[in-house]
Amino acid sequence: MNDRENSNTPVGEVIKSSTSELVVQCHELYGAPPLGSLLKSGGDNPVFGIVGQIITQSIYPGRHPRAMAHDESTVEAVYDSNPQLSRLLSTDVYLIVVGYEQEGQINRYLAPLPPKIHDLVYKCEVEELNRFTETLDFLSLLLSYPVGSRDDVVSAFVRQASLSYGNPNEFLVHAGKELAFLLGNEMHRLNGILRRIRP
């Protein structure tokens, strides 16, 4: 599916691209999907990634935001009084790559090539999420990701994915069994994730 065929509004666009991780700058400040969301790039061979981290920061390296609310009672008032903030700050989403689509087939492992810089990125709809989670082979990519709180990312993804099914508990049981297989020698991690995804 190319960008013109995608009816969704893009979340943002790729500003850093590798085979294992994408950085997406959101088109709207604070417009990031929640941790654990499944997103995909545009183009003929979409790359799928799961939100592993969200950062809002200054667009200028080395410059940090300063406190501005001393005369305001709410954060909304700060932004109303300082409209330039929306141009000086950006919200970036770090995606853990978990698969790609080629000739209509979804492959749940790293793509041979990453998306292009400025490729548009979209949040997957329910049907796409269901199709991607028909098998959970990609969970090993999330569990072995070297940056951030990967167990929280796995838990957030599993909880969100379960809500796209008519029987969420059935999906949670299926995911729990797959996690038990992958983390059989790491019971502390496994129990922590299972506690987070418990309904």
Side-chain angles (χ1 to χ4, degrees), residues 11 46 108 138 147 157 176:
V11 170
R108 295 161 184 84
F138 60 91
V147 179
F157 171 78

Side-chain angles (χ1 to χ4, degrees), residues 29-69:
L29 187 64
Y30 303 116
L35 188 76
S37 298
L38 182 67
L39 276 61
K40 69 174 185 179
S41 67
D44 295 327
N45 298 308
V47 170
F48 293 89
I50 292 173
V51 176
Q53 191 174 28
I54 303 165
I55 298 177
T56 298
Q57 59 191 350
S58 170
I59 62 172
Y60 299 106
R63 292 187 63 178
H64 302 287
R66 59 183 179 83
M68 303 179 73

Side-chain angles (χ1 to χ4, degrees), residues 171-183:
F171 177 82
L172 290 174
V173 169
H174 173 57
K177 289 179 179 178
E178 183 69 21
L179 289 165
F181 173 75
L182 294 169
L183 294 174

Side-chain angles (χ1 to χ4, degrees), residues 2 12 26 53 62-63 94-95 98 113-114 145 151 158 162 165 185-187:
N2 61 41
C26 295
Q53 191 174 28
R63 292 187 63 178
Y94 290 70
L95 297 182
V98 290
L113 293 170
Y145 191 68
D151 292 354
V158 169
S162 72
Y165 284 85
N185 295 325
E186 299 180 72
M187 294 305 298

